[in-house]
Amino acid sequence: MFIEIDGWMAKLRFSACHFIPNHPKCGCLHGHTYAISVRIEGEQKGEFIIDFETVKGIVNRICDRLDHKVLIAEKDPRLLIQKSDGVSIEIIDSKKRYVLPLEDIMFLPTNSVSAEDLCKYFASNLAKGLKASGADNITKIHVRVDEGIGQGAGCEYQL
Ligand SMILES: [Zn+2]
């Protein structure tokens, strides 16, 4: 069995800024509203597989960390990230140099800030959150990260 939550309808959303280094269009700093939709597979225990509110709480906490931030992939080999003075940070790609306030940035432990890599980030953090909630009946999760309405990336994560 599974439960599903649509991120647009259930308001599992955040807005953030990013850029994809060297991409002809997405190489410029720009923003999106993202929605996170999930499917949770597992055995029903009593009334539920898992309470919708538990899942939404976990996803919302991840969204809150990213909301209204500039997303930077710490492991992006195309970026030189210099944590300078504790207040601002310098980020250099092949053609550009950004200096941004540190407090505006959310560093992600990913190789890029594509919808695909954000999806893997959400899936692994949702899996951690589900385990921490004590759910032992979940077998698999599916996560989809929509980058605006009508396009997104999805992945599966085995628990
Ligand atoms: Zn984009």
Side-chain angles (χ1 to χ4, degrees), residues 11-139:
K11 295 187 178 158
L12 302 178
R13 309 174 205 158
F14 67 97
S15 297
C17 178
H18 77 168
F19 64 97
I20 308 289
N22 306 326
H23 187 281
K25 186 177 173 191
C26 304
C28 289
L29 211 53
H30 64 281
H32 297 282
T33 295
Y34 295 90
I36 314 304
S37 298
V38 299
R39 176 198 286 209
I40 311 288
E41 291 183 17
E43 289 302 312
Q44 185 175 354
K45 265 173 82 177
E47 295 174 290
F48 307 134
I49 297 171
I50 188 166
D51 194 315
F52 289 120
E53 294 305 316
T54 303
V55 179
K56 289 196 286 186
I58 296 167
V59 175
N60 263 323
R61 281 192 289 278
I62 307 168
C63 287
D64 285 347
R65 296 204 290 262
L66 278 57
D67 192 35
H68 285 70
K69 296 287 184 183
V70 181
L71 308 180
I72 301 289
E74 270 179 337
K75 295 182 187 167
D76 193 327
R78 299 163 296 186
L79 299 179
L80 177 62
I81 300 170
Q82 294 176 340
K83 290 179 186 172
S84 46
D85 57 1
V87 177
S88 58
I89 193 160
E90 184 180 56
I91 299 163
I92 299 169
D93 76 8
S94 59
K95 297 180 204 147
K96 298 178 185 175
R97 176 177 166 269
Y98 300 90
V99 178
L100 296 164
L102 206 47
E103 67 179 51
D104 289 9
I105 295 176
M106 174 66 187
F107 289 104
L108 298 173
T110 58
N111 294 318
S112 92
V113 285
S114 64
E116 288 83 344
D117 277 322
L118 289 177
C119 192
K120 288 188 267 182
Y121 174 79
F122 268 88
S124 67
N125 280 281
L126 173 57
K128 269 186 225 160
L130 289 170
K131 283 178 192 162
S133 80
D136 56 2
N137 56 326
I138 310 297
T139 52

